[in-house]
Amino acid sequence: MAAIVSALRRRPRRRAFTLIELLVVIAIIAILIALLLPAVQQAREAARRSQCKNNLKQLGLALHNYHDVHKQFPPTVDVPLATGNWGQKYVGGSKGGYLVRLLPFVDQEPLFKLIKFDVEGPGAGPEYQTFPGTSKRFTTQPIPVFMCPSDPSPDVRGNPNTTGRAKSNYALNMGNQSIPSKGGKCTTYPGNNFGTGPAGHGSTGDLTRISGIVSRWNWAARIRDITDGTANVFAAGEILPRCGDHTRNGWFHFNALWVATTAPINFPINCEGDPAKYPTGGCHDLDNWQTSQGFKSKHQGGAHFLMCDGAVRFVSENIDYLTYQKLGDRRD
């Protein structure tokens, strides 16, 4: 018994962690987390970029299926009457942008069939119509294939039950179009470098005055109009809807998505809902159309573009400016 007691007394006691050792362990864990977090974020962004690319591929299929049926790409849905603002009748013309015409080709035919395009008059057109038996407008309906998951902005701008507008992160390409500056506040990127897009803001139905594949009015190209070759011309690209005072109006609005390559990719804008990061009263303003109605993304270093042959490319924001304009133009 004495021998057992003596042996127990000789056993070394366990030493507790000191404060310094505990702090060292915590610091090591923090460093490991700091190293791991960017990797997790990069993996998530890679997944979002992949989904964004897939959305554009789906739009490419929809464009070509539409072309097979209608023998042209989808134009904006409007009534070209010589009344009202800039030769268009706003109420009669507010029948939706070209993405509305693509609805049956992106698994949204039931929604498309609910829209009554023959109704006109103040407060009666498709911009004001609601789902049967509800107060929710068609304009508030998010369409998943029209949205890039990397853009954290709200899916619907405004009141989702009445006046809200669901966003689109994609727009068809108006090309190297002449884009006049609002009030002369920024004239750095006037567009029309090749003389192929002289109509200001693309406000014409004359194909000889449009650089890209769609105009702001009721016109869109046929494949035979793309003389540079479908593999060499943008069909569509990414946008940040809250970075333009027109693009923020959503996928439904006929006067929202007249987007051109005139502005460099990812040109910085003081976007709606964000604190101003850049000088105001010039090129960085939300309503400076030369730069705000351009292609932009939340992806680092560039944006995805759909080519007219259906391929999707990621184009660097550092691309040579004139090379970028040539990719935007269908006949340079």
Side-chain angles (χ1 to χ4, degrees), residues 2-332:
I4 295 174
V5 173
S6 177
L8 290 174
R9 287 176 178 174
R10 290 197 301 270
R11 286 183 61 185
R13 294 181 179 178
R14 292 184 178 179
R15 185 171 61 87
F17 281 110
T18 65
L19 179 60
I20 294 177
E21 290 172 331
L22 186 60
L23 292 175
V24 169
V25 170
I26 293 173
I28 292 172
I29 293 173
I31 292 171
L32 291 174
I33 292 174
L35 292 172
L36 183 62
L37 187 59
V40 172
Q41 291 174 335
Q42 288 176 4
R44 288 177 176 173
E45 172 57 14
R48 290 191 290 261
R49 284 178 61 151
S50 179
Q51 180 60 51
C52 182
K53 183 177 180 180
N54 185 63
N55 287 348
L56 278 171
K57 286 184 177 180
Q58 295 303 312
L59 287 179
L61 288 172
L63 284 174
H64 279 268
N65 287 334
Y66 184 96
H67 193 286
D68 287 345
V69 174
H70 299 283
K71 311 308 177 187
Q72 69 173 129
F73 290 128
T76 289
V77 185
D78 71 358
V79 179
L81 301 176
T83 58
N85 192 295
W86 40 266
Q88 295 288 297
K89 183 181 176 184
Y90 254 104
V91 173
S94 297
K95 297 195 172 187
Y98 38 71
L99 293 183
V100 176
R101 286 190 170 176
L102 279 184
L103 287 175
F105 301 90
V106 290
D107 296 327
Q108 295 292 334
E109 187 168 7
L111 172 62
F112 184 78
K113 287 182 176 179
L114 291 174
I115 303 171
K116 298 177 181 179
F117 292 103
D118 58 345
V119 178
E120 295 187 13
E127 276 283 309
Y128 305 96
Q129 292 175 19
T130 60
F131 286 92
T134 75
S135 61
K136 182 180 179 181
R137 292 184 180 177
F138 295 128
T139 58
T140 70
Q141 180 65 34
I143 308 297
V145 75
F146 294 163
M147 300 188 298
C148 174
S150 291
D151 180 10
S153 64
D155 292 347
V156 180
R157 171 178 174 262
N159 187 327
N161 293 318
T162 53
T163 60
R165 300 185 189 277
K167 70 180 179 183
S168 171
N169 284 112
Y170 310 108
L172 299 189
N173 166 46
M174 202 161 62
N176 177 237
Q177 197 66 30
S178 171
I179 307 290
S181 172
K182 183 176 182 179
K185 65 169 64 179
C186 175
T187 58
T188 307
Y189 304 103
N192 192 32
N193 294 74
F194 315 120
T196 55
H201 307 112
S203 299
T204 182
D206 183 352
L207 79 165
T208 67
R209 297 171 59 79
I210 295 295
S211 167
I213 71 163
V214 289
S215 78
R216 189 182 186 186
W217 288 4
N218 196 14
W219 175 84
R222 299 161 295 182
I223 286 179
R224 71 184 187 187
D225 298 324
I226 306 171
T227 55
D228 282 357
T230 56
N232 303 313
V233 178
F234 295 142
E238 291 189 78
I239 63 171
L240 294 176
R242 292 207 168 200
C243 296
D245 69 339
H246 282 68
T247 56
R248 64 185 177 181
N249 285 327
W251 66 267
F252 198 108
H253 201 285
F254 86 108
N255 192 28
L257 300 180
W258 46 280
V259 178
T261 57
T262 305
I265 299 173
N266 288 344
F267 190 92
I269 296 293
N270 291 317
C271 304
E272 180 184 67
D274 296 337
K277 298 178 182 178
Y278 312 102
T280 57
C283 293
H284 303 287
D285 284 1
L286 183 76
D287 63 351
N288 182 66
W289 306 310
Q290 277 191 11
T291 51
S292 61
Q293 292 293 118
F295 293 102
K296 301 172 174 58
S297 84
K298 284 291 185 181
H299 308 305
Q300 186 173 4
H304 288 107
F305 286 85
L306 170 70
M307 310 306 291
C308 287
D309 66 350
V312 178
R313 299 181 187 174
F314 187 81
V315 181
S316 170
E317 62 191 31
N318 297 317
I319 187 174
D320 174 76
Y321 181 75
L322 284 182
T323 300
Y324 178 51
Q325 302 314 309
K326 289 179 179 180
L327 288 169
D329 193 287
R330 75 179 193 278
R331 55 193 173 94
D332 61 84

